[in-house]
Amino acid sequence: MSTLTELERARLRWRARRGLLENDLIITNFLDHYETQLTDTDVVALTQLFEMGDNELLDVLLGRKGLEGVYDTPQIQRLVEQMRAL
């Protein structure tokens, strides 16, 4: 379990803000459901996922394409699957 402080949680939510409304809605919904359960490893994986470009991220979140390269890790795959399931 993570020991995120309120400031760290706020930073994570700020980092999750995207240029596409669809990404914002998917990620915000995910954080609303799972934020308190995120481990430090999850936060690192999410931070890495948030480095993706908006259009590429949307394609991944909607299942139109798979994770590739540095984003294709078990931790990121699990988080994306959780986002898709909501």
Side-chain angles (χ1 to χ4, degrees), residues 18-83:
R18 306 301 300 192
L20 293 175
L21 177 62
E22 294 87 347
N23 286 341
D24 279 348
L25 294 174
I26 293 168
I27 295 168
T28 299
N29 189 34
F30 169 79
L31 290 174
D32 288 347
H33 281 85
Y34 293 106
E35 182 178 11
T36 60
Q37 300 170 32
L38 294 176
T39 65
D40 293 336
T41 302
D42 293 335
V43 172
V44 170
L46 276 175
T47 300
Q48 185 177 3
L49 182 65
F50 295 161
E51 293 174 3
M52 252 186 190
D54 285 330
N55 291 323
E56 184 180 9
L57 179 58
L58 182 61
D59 285 344
V60 166
L61 294 179
L62 294 179
R64 295 190 288 217
K65 77 181 258 188
L67 292 163
E68 299 174 345
V70 298
Y71 304 108
D72 190 12
T73 68
Q75 295 84 8
I76 294 176
Q77 288 172 3
R78 182 178 51 77
L79 295 170
V80 167
E81 287 171 12
Q82 288 176 311
M83 288 182 207

